[in-house]
Amino acid sequence: MIRAIILSVRAAVAATAIAFAGGAGAVILTPGVVTPLPGTTVAADPSLAGTVVQDVLSPFTMTTSTGVATGEIQSRVVLAVDGTYDFYWRVFNDSTSAADISFFRLGDFKSSTYDANYRIDGLGDVAPVSAFLFVSPTPGFINFDFSDTSNPDGLAPGQSSFFMFLDTDATSYSRSAIADVASSGTFFASNEIATFSPGIPEPSTWAMMALGFAGLGFAGYRTSRKAAPVAA
C-alpha cells in the first residue's frame, strides 16, 4: 500500500528500527488536557533504546464525503533497555486515498502511566502536534492529533507519520487494544484494528472492543480541544 498522514509540526523524521536516538523524553499526559508533543530521540532519552519484539501492519479503510481513504497502521512493541515495554504506532496514508487523516486514535490501552511523544530520529513525513487522554467513561483512550492552524486537515495522501509512542513500565503485553484513524472533526472514522497494550487481556476488554469508539466520548474531542488550547 502507498502511505500517508498529515500534520504540521514537521520536526524531522521519527522512527524505523528501534535503536533510535533520543530528544527530550516522553511527556506525561494529563487526563482531559490537550498535551503538546515536542518530539524526541534516543540521544536525548537513551532509555528508549531497545529491541523490536512485535511489528505488525494492519490495513484500514475510511469512507468520507470526498471518497475513500485507505492505508495502514503499523503497530510495534519494543523491549527497552530498562526491561519494560514501549508501544509505537505509525500511520501510512495511501497515495491513492481520497481524503486526509487528522487523528490516530487509540482505545483500551491500559497502563499505569501515559507518557507519550513521537520519534524525530526515524522515517516519516508528519508529526503529531498533540495528544489527548480521555477521562471517562473509560480511561485508556487517546487521540494523537496531526492538525493545527497551519495544517488543519492533517496527513495528506501519500504521506506517513513519524512513530508515535507510549513509554510504559509494563513487563508484559498483549494484542488487546484497539486503534483507528479519523478525519478532521472526527466526522468520519476508519474500521478499528487490534493493536498492542500492556498486560494480559481481560474478558471485559473484548466486550469493550465490540463497542468501538462511537459511544466513548470521541465526539467531544473538539470541544475539549477548545477548552485547553495547545501552546505554540
Side-chain angles (χ1 to χ4, degrees):
M1 279 185 171
I2 319 167
R3 326 126 184 277
I5 264 192
I6 243 185
L7 154 131
S8 60
V9 187
R10 299 199 172 197
V13 209
T16 173
I18 290 199
F20 319 88
V27 179
I28 297 174
L29 301 183
T30 301
V33 175
V34 175
T35 305
L37 300 178
T40 190
T41 64
V42 165
D45 187 358
S47 68
L48 293 176
T51 303
V52 177
V53 295
Q54 293 283 352
D55 203 13
V56 176
L57 283 172
S58 303
F60 67 79
T61 300
M62 179 175 68
T63 302
T64 74
S65 59
T66 59
V68 177
T70 59
E72 291 174 310
I73 296 171
Q74 183 174 3
S75 300
R76 176 174 284 185
V77 181
V78 174
L79 179 58
V81 291
D82 62 0
T84 61
Y85 290 103
D86 297 334
F87 299 84
Y88 285 75
W89 299 271
R90 189 178 174 205
V91 181
F92 300 89
N93 195 4
D94 287 348
S95 61
T96 54
S97 286
D100 297 328
I101 297 169
S102 294
F103 300 99
F104 168 71
R105 311 191 304 179
L106 185 63
D108 279 337
F109 189 91
K110 307 299 173 61
S111 178
S112 60
T113 59
Y114 292 93
D115 299 344
N117 214 333
Y118 69 91
R119 295 294 298 272
I120 304 172
D121 50 356
L123 300 175
D125 304 305
V126 174
V129 179
S130 62
F132 183 87
L133 175 63
F134 286 83
V135 183
S136 55
T138 4
F141 282 72
I142 303 161
N143 274 12
F144 288 89
D145 190 350
F146 297 110
S147 60
D148 63 7
T149 54
S150 65
N151 185 12
D153 295 319
L155 274 143
Q159 289 185 315
S160 65
S161 73
F162 293 101
F163 266 107
M164 302 157 281
F165 70 86
L166 288 170
D167 184 357
T168 77
D169 57 6
T171 55
S172 62
Y173 68 90
S174 61
R175 200 172 180 184
S176 56
I178 53 177
D180 71 2
V181 297
S183 66
S184 178
T186 65
F187 296 122
F188 304 99
S190 72
N191 57 294
E192 295 170 4
I193 62 106
T195 189
F196 298 101
S197 176
I200 307 300
E202 303 173 4
S204 60
T205 299
W206 304 112
M208 286 301 299
M209 288 177 68
L211 295 177
F213 289 97
L216 293 176
F218 283 93
Y221 177 77
R222 290 182 65 81
T223 301
S224 300
R225 277 180 53 185
K226 292 177 181 178
V230 179

